[in-house]
Amino acid sequence: MTDPRTDPSLTVAVTGVTGYVGGRLVPELLAAGHRVRALARNPGRLRDRPWFDDVDVVRCDVGEAEELRAALEGVDVAYYLVHSLGSGRRFEARDRRTALTFAQVARECGVKRIVYLGGLYPEGEALSPHLESRKEVGEILLASGVPTAVLRAAVILGSGSASFEMMRYLTERLPAMTTPRWVENRIQPIAIRDVLRYLVGAAHLPADVSRSFDIGGPEVLTYRDMMQRYARAAGLPRRIIVAVPVLSPRLSSLWVGLVTPVPSGLARPLVESLVHEVVCDEHDITRYVPDPPGGLLSFDDAVRLALARIQDADVVTRWSSASVAGAPSDPLPTDPDWAGGSLYVDERTTPVRARAEDLWSVLESVGGERGWYSWALAWRVRGLLDRLSGGPGLRRGRRDPQRLAVDDAVDFWRVEEIERGRLLRLRAEMRLPGLAWLELRVEDDGASGPVFSQRAVFHPHGLIGQLYWWSVAPFHGVVFGGMQRGIAEEAERRSAARRVV
C-alpha cells in the first residue's frame, strides 16, 4: 500500500460507479495516474463503459461486510458515492447501515483515506430527510478512524445531472409558471467539472486532515436567477415566474414529475433541499486543491458546456444511469425448463426487405424522441400510469439517440444485453406485478434478407401478475404487432432511400 501524501499513483476504490458522479469520476482518476478498482453489485452493467478494460472491476455489495472487505484489501483511498436518493421509505436506516459497514471495513482494511460527496446544508436548521441522512453519513465516515474528506455540494451543473435536468425542463417547457417561495432562496451551484477536480484532488490530502469542506462555484444565485440565466443561455425568451406560498415540497415534486423527465420520487428530495439556502460558509479546500488558473467554471459557462454536450449527444452519464429504486435487476431466465415459475411469451417474426444493417439501426434507436413505432397513445398512457405510480415513465428518454450500451436507460426499460447488429434485450423498470423483458433480434440468413424477431417475456408475481398479463394480452396485437410492422417499414424505408442515393 502506498502513501497518499508522497505517491502520485494510488490504488483507489470507487463505489457508486453506475451512478452519475461515479461514472464520470473513474476516467478522471485514471487520467491522474491512479489504479482504479470499480465496485459494483452487477459488474456486467459496466461492460460497455469506455474505461472498463482499464480498471479492476470487483463484484461487491457495499452493504455486505465480507464482500466489501475483499474489495477494499490493499486500497489506499476509497470513494463513497452511494446514497438512496429517491429510493422510498426507510432509506435513512439503509444509508446509516451501509455507511457504518463501510466505515468499519475501511478501518479494518487499513484504507488511508475516505472521500465522500455529500450535500451542502445550513447549520442549525431542521433539514429535509435526505439532507439529514447525507449529513449523518458524513458524520459516520468522519468518526470511522480513517482520515475522511466530506465534500458538500449544492446543485451540480452538468449534462445529465438530475438537478440540472429538472431546472432545464422546467425552464424550457414553461414560459410562465407559478413556483414555491423557495425560488427566492440563495444557492451556490457548482459545475460537475469542478466537483470532479475536487474529488480527484482530495485523494492527496495530508493524513492529519479529516473534516468537511464546502464546495461551490463562483456565484451565489436564486433559483429564479438560475432559470432566467438558463433561458438566456439556451436562447429562450425571459420566463415569467410568480412565487406563491401554497406549494408544498410534495406538491412541487409532483408537478416536477409531470413536467420534467425526473420522477417525482427523485424530484422530492431535490425540491426539499431547495427549501434551504445552501451557500458555502468556507472555501478551505483551496488550501489543498487550488482553483484552476482560469478560476471555477461560471454558471453561464457550465450551462453552455452542458447544452453543447446534449446537442452533440456526448452525455457520458445521466441521473438515469443509477438504477430505479425497487426496479428488478434479475436477468432473463435462459433455461427453457426454468423452475422459477410461469413465463408468458409473446413472440413475433417478420421477414424484412432491407439490409440487416438498416434494420439494426432502427432497433438501436427505439424509444426516446423516436418512440416505439406503434400505437403512440397506448405508450403515452402506460408511461403516465407508471409515473403516477412512482415509476420512471417514458420521459426518462435515452442518453444517446443513435447508439445504446449495456445498462443504458431507454424510457422505462434498461439495456440488459446488446450484441451489436444481432440482439437488443431490454429489462422493464416500470411498475409491474412481475418481471418483464423485451427482446429484439436481427436474424440474417444472407439470401432472402433479414428476419426481425421480437419477443416479450413476462414472469408474473402471484395472482395479480397473472391477471395483469391476461388483462393486457388483448392489446399485444396492436402494441407489439404494430411495433413489429412499424420497425420493419422504417428499416425498408431506410434501405430504399439508400438505394436511391
Side-chain angles (χ1 to χ4, degrees):
M1 189 176 293
T2 55
D3 188 341
R5 293 169 297 178
T6 58
D7 193 332
S9 177
L10 306 170
T11 298
V12 299
V14 184
T15 64
V17 288
T18 58
Y20 175 71
V21 175
R24 296 193 179 206
L25 177 62
V26 169
E28 297 296 324
L29 290 167
L30 289 171
H34 299 308
R35 299 174 294 277
V36 178
R37 190 174 297 174
L39 279 53
R41 281 181 294 182
N42 181 2
R45 293 182 59 188
L46 304 175
R47 193 186 70 201
D48 283 346
R49 302 295 172 98
W51 39 260
F52 181 79
D53 293 332
D54 299 323
V55 304
D56 179 17
V57 178
V58 178
R59 184 185 303 275
C60 176
D61 183 336
V62 179
E64 296 296 326
E66 289 308 310
E67 292 184 15
L68 187 60
R69 187 169 287 108
L72 292 185
E73 193 65 40
V75 164
D76 300 307
V77 180
Y79 285 87
Y80 190 81
L81 302 175
V82 296
H83 58 82
S84 303
L85 185 66
S87 64
R89 287 174 283 184
R90 297 189 297 276
F91 72 89
E92 301 104 319
R94 183 163 52 252
D95 277 351
R96 182 183 308 115
R97 183 171 59 251
T98 304
L100 286 168
T101 300
F102 191 88
Q104 177 182 343
V105 173
R107 182 177 66 252
E108 292 172 353
C109 288
V111 171
K112 300 297 184 183
R113 174 162 298 281
I114 296 172
V115 181
Y116 169 59
L117 179 62
L120 188 61
Y121 56 85
E123 299 289 350
E125 292 186 20
L127 302 176
S128 67
H130 274 87
L131 272 183
E132 185 63 48
S133 180
R134 302 291 287 275
K135 176 184 177 183
E136 182 184 23
V137 167
E139 291 170 345
I140 289 171
L141 297 177
L142 285 167
S144 64
V146 178
T148 297
V150 175
L151 306 184
R152 308 191 304 185
V155 171
I156 295 178
L157 303 171
S159 56
S161 155
S163 299
F164 179 79
E165 293 291 292
M166 186 173 83
M167 177 187 65
R168 172 191 169 202
Y169 280 96
L170 284 174
T171 308
E172 289 185 353
R173 293 181 174 176
L174 299 174
M177 65 190 94
T178 56
T179 60
R181 287 178 296 185
W182 50 253
V183 295
E184 307 296 352
N185 286 348
R186 297 185 307 148
I187 303 164
Q188 193 165 351
I190 182 170
I192 181 63
R193 176 181 295 185
D194 290 321
V195 172
L196 295 173
R197 194 172 51 79
Y198 286 137
L199 285 169
V200 173
H204 291 286
L205 292 175
D208 60 349
V209 175
S210 186
R211 53 164 289 188
S212 295
F213 294 94
D214 293 352
I215 60 172
E219 298 165 277
V220 176
L221 306 166
T222 66
Y223 205 82
R224 179 197 295 272
D225 294 334
M226 290 167 59
M227 286 193 288
Q228 295 292 16
R229 287 174 62 170
Y230 175 89
R232 186 174 64 195
L236 300 171
R238 185 173 177 81
R239 283 7 209 170
I240 300 171
I241 303 172
V242 180
V244 296
V246 294
L247 290 175
S248 66
R250 181 175 181 277
L251 289 175
S252 298
S253 61
L254 290 174
W255 175 242
V256 169
L258 288 174
V259 174
T260 80
V262 181
S264 56
L266 177 57
R268 183 163 184 175
L270 298 176
V271 168
E272 287 176 340
S273 67
L274 296 173
V275 171
H276 307 286
E277 288 206 335
V278 280
V279 178
C280 296
D281 288 330
E282 43 82 12
H283 195 44
D284 297 346
I285 189 70
T286 55
R287 298 179 191 170
Y288 311 101
V289 187
D291 289 344
L296 301 176
L297 209 60
S298 70
F299 178 88
D300 293 341
D301 287 342
V303 168
R304 281 191 285 267
L305 181 60
L307 289 176
R309 296 266 188 202
I310 293 167
Q311 290 161 5
D312 294 341
D314 189 24
V315 180
V316 181
T317 60
R318 296 179 72 222
W319 58 270
S320 57
S321 301
S323 296
V324 173
S329 57
D330 310 54
L332 176 66
T334 54
D335 184 352
D337 300 318
W338 185 56
S342 302
L343 278 179
Y344 292 121
V345 178
D346 181 284
E347 192 161 10
R348 303 166 189 269
T349 58
T350 301
V352 182
R353 296 186 301 275
R355 300 193 327 156
E357 295 89 340
D358 292 324
L359 176 56
W360 175 255
S361 72
V362 178
L363 297 185
E364 196 174 6
S365 63
V366 295
E369 295 297 324
R370 281 194 172 86
W372 295 88
Y373 296 95
S374 66
W375 191 11
L377 178 61
W379 285 94
R380 284 197 294 268
V381 170
R382 185 63 182 87
L384 177 60
L385 292 175
D386 189 57
R387 288 182 73 83
L388 292 175
S389 62
L394 293 177
R395 289 185 182 158
R396 191 166 60 166
R398 323 169 25 125
R399 180 183 58 85
D400 186 306
Q402 301 291 342
R403 192 171 175 84
L404 290 174
V406 168
D407 203 43
D408 272 359
V410 184
D411 295 337
F412 46 40
W413 306 90
R414 189 172 294 275
V415 179
E416 178 177 283
E417 183 60 70
I418 187 166
E419 297 175 16
R420 201 73 58 191
R422 293 187 60 250
L423 166 69
L424 172 62
R425 182 185 301 138
L426 304 173
R427 183 180 67 247
E429 291 191 328
M430 67 193 84
R431 300 298 186 187
L432 286 171
L435 308 176
W437 297 265
L438 180 62
E439 198 170 73
L440 310 175
R441 286 181 180 271
V442 177
E443 299 171 354
D444 190 2
D445 61 12
S448 57
V451 173
F452 171 30
S453 174
Q454 176 180 292
R455 187 167 72 126
V457 181
F458 182 66
H459 169 45
H461 287 167
L463 178 60
I464 294 177
Q466 306 263 353
L467 294 174
Y468 172 82
W469 173 263
W470 292 116
S471 69
V472 300
F475 300 100
H476 285 174
V478 178
V479 176
F480 291 130
M483 181 177 172
Q484 186 88 3
R485 291 188 297 274
I487 287 176
E489 290 170 1
E490 174 62 15
E492 290 169 355
R493 185 194 66 77
R494 292 189 186 185
S495 282
R498 190 187 300 275
R499 285 194 294 271
V500 169
V501 173

